Amino acid sequence: MHHQNAPDRAGRRRLDAVRLVAGLILAALLAALAATPAQAAAAYIYPSTSRTVSDNFAAHVARGSSNPGTDYVLPIGSSVQAVRAGTVTMSGSYGDGGLAVRVDHGGGIVTEYLHNSQLLVSVGQKVQQGETIALSGNTGSSTGPHLHISLKINGTNVDFEKYVGTGSSGPTQTELTYAAVLATGQTAIAKSDLNGEWTTLTGGVKQIAVASTASGPVIAVLFSDGGVATKVGYQGTWTQQTSGAAAIALAADPTTGVTLAVLYTNGTLIAKNGLGSTWTTLAGAVTDVSIASDPVHGLTIAAVFTDANVYVKQGLQGTWAGIVGPASKVRVATDATNGPSFVVLSTTGTVWAKTGVYAPWVTETSGATSIAVASAANTGPVIGVVLTSGSLIAKTGLVAPWVTLSGGTAEVAINADPVRGITFMNRSTTGSAAVKFGIGGVWTTITGGATTIALP
């Protein structure tokens, strides 16, 4: 039998020790690599599959909510997930919040999930990002099934929508811009924070149009003398685009870019894709124009010609096709899922609508004086109509019932966003401008003395 000598045994023990330490270090490194991406790659994810906002942070703040946050429409029993890893510090009844969960994520960051039907975690439990912590419900002070999430940083409630989305499969949200023209000095004003201060843009303005881009708001104005100018951002420099105009229209999406259309006083319609590009003449004998674009269907142009018929074309180089008449106004909105939707005001005040160029028309209502439409993937077309009585009515979808939103209305603008939800802006007959989020939301007055309003 071979006997190993002492030096050999000592060497093997040292080698085994080295291997053990190396193994432990490797295991720790692998564990760290496995744990890091979940927190670093996506700081905040959505708490549910819903992206439909029924009541946003700004609206909560405006009405003095004690725990402002974001409300997502969500059927009872849906999964509610932790937006990032942390420790459960509350799981139980929470007054008006119903059944609720609070998670402490460390670093002064806390989230709360309210109005649940069932709680699946207990105090002290560690939860991972994306882990189901509750089932949604309608408990506490609630007007319908939804999830209310509040995000607190160092004890202060902040807008969750401004933090969510990094690494998420959810859509990207662009900033919403509120714009108006005041009677005093025909002053154009705009802002992105509902409760913030207005930015004065310029004077002598007849019409304003805004579009949302990743670089910030794009603003176009039609001056009372017929000149047209554009700028990017509130502090940007005005660029003169043309003169002799009677109306303007603006649209933007990440693929098509920014499109500006101008209707001259002589009825000629021109447009350009890119504010620095050359103009393309689209038609003559036009009395009204509306444009919209999305990354899938591109640019859609709709116009009323002097023969009172509505014509549409896809892109600047497309061919005009007549779709309905007799009409006085047309509005178009589009999204990547549903495609273009058209709302037409006939010469007799009847409102027609449809989604898709070749779809049949739906007669929506009569006795109308003003129309507006927006569209998002999760809502489809959202239509607003001002009646001769001054009533503002709205609906989501072509065949849904009408809901009366207000009286004494002169003008309405609508924005639909997959993340933010539906935003209405209303100008009253007395010049007061107000905003509400969702058909069931509450109006918040944002200015007085307005002659026209605009949303992206």
Side-chain angles (χ1 to χ4, degrees), residues 17-415:
V18 170
R19 287 172 175 169
L20 177 60
V21 172
L24 291 173
I25 293 173
L26 179 60
L29 287 172
L30 291 174
L33 289 172
T36 299
Q39 189 67 25
Y44 299 89
I45 64 170
Y46 284 93
S48 71
T49 56
S50 175
R51 302 294 186 268
T52 303
V53 176
S54 59
D55 202 6
N56 70 7
F57 182 80
H60 280 90
V61 171
R63 62 174 180 267
S65 171
S66 61
N67 189 19
T70 303
D71 291 349
Y72 295 99
V73 176
L74 200 60
I76 293 175
S78 301
S79 173
V80 175
Q81 304 170 347
V83 299
R84 59 188 293 174
T87 303
V88 177
T89 57
M90 187 267 291
S91 180
S93 181
Y94 192 39
D96 288 346
L99 296 178
V101 175
R102 180 186 298 123
V103 179
D104 188 335
H105 306 285
I109 300 170
V110 173
T111 51
E112 293 178 347
Y113 311 77
L114 279 56
H115 307 298
N116 301 290
S117 61
Q118 186 177 350
L119 307 179
L120 305 178
V121 293
S122 56
V123 174
Q125 182 176 335
K126 304 291 185 182
V127 294
Q128 298 302 313
Q129 186 179 55
E131 182 176 341
T132 299
I133 58 177
L135 300 181
S136 64
N138 191 30
T139 59
S141 179
S142 174
T143 58
H146 74 284
L147 168 66
H148 174 103
I149 181 172
S150 63
L151 169 62
K152 301 179 182 182
I153 299 180
N154 295 324
T156 301
N157 289 62
V158 296
D159 189 350
F160 176 72
E161 288 285 340
K162 293 183 178 180
Y163 290 79
V164 70
T166 303
S168 167
S169 60
T172 301
Q173 180 188 15
T174 52
E175 193 170 46
L176 183 62
T177 300
Y178 311 94
V181 176
L182 302 182
T184 304
Q186 294 182 298
T187 304
I189 58 175
K191 64 178 178 177
S192 294
D193 183 351
L194 183 66
N195 301 294
E197 298 295 323
W198 288 100
T199 297
T200 299
L201 302 174
T202 188
V205 175
K206 176 183 178 182
Q207 181 190 355
I208 187 169
V210 290
S212 296
T213 72
S215 301
V218 175
I219 304 165
V221 294
L222 168 63
F223 291 103
S224 54
D225 64 1
V228 176
T230 58
K231 69 189 303 187
V232 179
Y234 300 135
Q235 306 306 322
T237 301
W238 288 109
T239 299
Q240 298 301 315
Q241 294 288 351
T242 190
S243 58
I248 57 175
L250 192 64
D253 75 77
T255 301
T256 311
V258 178
T259 302
L260 173 65
V262 172
L263 177 59
Y264 283 125
T265 53
N266 66 3
T268 300
L269 176 62
I270 63 173
K272 59 166 64 177
N273 183 238
L275 298 179
S277 63
T278 57
W279 291 104
T280 298
T281 300
L282 302 179
V286 175
T287 61
D288 188 50
V289 62
S290 179
I291 64 175
S293 64
D294 73 67
V296 173
H297 304 90
L299 175 67
T300 301
I301 306 168
V304 180
F305 282 52
T306 51
D307 64 2
N309 286 316
V310 176
Y311 295 82
V312 301
K313 69 186 299 185
Q314 299 297 127
L316 298 183
Q317 307 305 323
T319 302
W320 289 107
I323 56 173
V324 75
S328 60
K329 294 183 182 299
V330 62
R331 296 294 179 263
V332 61
T334 189
D335 69 79
T337 299
N338 300 289
S341 293
F342 305 91
V343 178
V344 172
L345 178 62
S346 78
T347 53
T348 61
T350 299
V351 176
W352 303 307
K354 69 175 179 176
T355 297
V357 174
Y358 302 105
W361 288 99
V362 176
T363 299
E364 296 289 359
T365 190
S366 58
T369 61
S370 182
I371 55 175
V373 64
S375 189
N378 57 342
T379 63
V382 182
I383 305 171
V385 173
V386 179
L387 302 177
T388 53
S389 64
S391 292
L392 169 59
I393 59 176
K395 61 162 55 179
T396 300
L398 302 183
V399 297
W402 288 104
V403 177
T404 301
L405 302 186
S406 68
T409 301
E411 182 184 9
V412 60
I414 312 173
N415 176 274

